[in-house]
């Protein structure tokens, strides 16, 4: 019995990605139309929540990065989101990953020396 890996469910080709992007833009256009058609401030709550949640997530991870750097630890990777990987890039020696659902993030760091590593790790944790 051969075990074949399950098929990938992410967009594979450029056309698939284009269709997905058009779908997202279309849904956003319908949401904007709904707000302008019958304006009520409550309709904007989803948009404000998404924008400010993402901003707070980025600030949180930046706090972890800054504290780890200030304590002399090496920051290896920063990941924003869950799910499949959509984009990778590097800034200096730090590798960044952006994933499908930006609900959480994490910073992978490593101490350069073993002195006070638990206390420094706690400071990095609370800096976010």
């Amino acid at each position: 019995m051969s075990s074949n890996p399950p098929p990938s469910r992410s967009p594979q080709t450029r056309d698939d990605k284009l269709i997905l992007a058009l779908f997202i833009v279309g849904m956003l256009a319908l949401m904007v139309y709904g707000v302008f058609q019958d304006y009520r401030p409550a309709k904007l709550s989803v948009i404000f929540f998404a924008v400010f949640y993402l901003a707070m997530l980025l600030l949180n991870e930046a706090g972890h990065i800054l504290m780890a750097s200030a304590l002399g630890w090496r920051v290896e990777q920063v990941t924003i989101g869950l799910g499949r990987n959509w984009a990778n890039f590097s800034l200096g020696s730090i590798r960044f990953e952006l994933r499908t659902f930006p609900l959480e993030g994490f910073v992978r760091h490593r101490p350069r020396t073993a002195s006070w590593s638990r206390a420094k790790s706690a400071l990095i944790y609370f800096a976010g």
Side-chain angles (χ1 to χ4, degrees), residues 15 27 34 87 90 110 114 122:
D15 291 338
M27 294 304 288
S90 294
R110 179 173 295 161

Side-chain angles (χ1 to χ4, degrees), residues 61-62 64-70 73-80 87-98 106-110 112:
E61 300 310 321
H64 295 303
I65 293 167
L66 291 174
M67 181 58 78
S69 297
W73 285 32
R74 183 177 336 142
V75 178
E76 296 175 347
Q77 178 182 358
V78 177
T79 301
I80 302 293
N88 291 323
F89 60 93
S90 294
L91 288 173
S93 63
I94 304 172
R95 190 177 74 230
F96 288 85
E97 289 184 3
L98 300 176
F106 67 88
V107 175
R108 182 174 298 151
H109 49 78
R110 179 173 295 161
R112 295 180 195 262

Side-chain angles (χ1 to χ4, degrees), residues 4-17:
N4 294 330
S8 176
R9 294 187 179 173
S10 67
Q12 297 295 317
T13 65
R14 186 174 179 205
D15 291 338
D16 290 344
K17 291 180 181 182

Side-chain angles (χ1 to χ4, degrees), residues 21-35 47:
L22 289 174
F23 176 75
I24 291 171
V25 168
M27 294 304 288
L28 289 174
L30 286 174
M31 188 164 58
V32 168
Y33 175 75
V35 168
I47 296 169

Side-chain angles (χ1 to χ4, degrees), residues 30-44:
L30 286 174
M31 188 164 58
V32 168
Y33 175 75
V35 168
F36 284 121
Q37 185 69 22
D38 180 28
Y39 175 75
R40 285 181 282 157
K43 287 186 172 183
L44 297 175

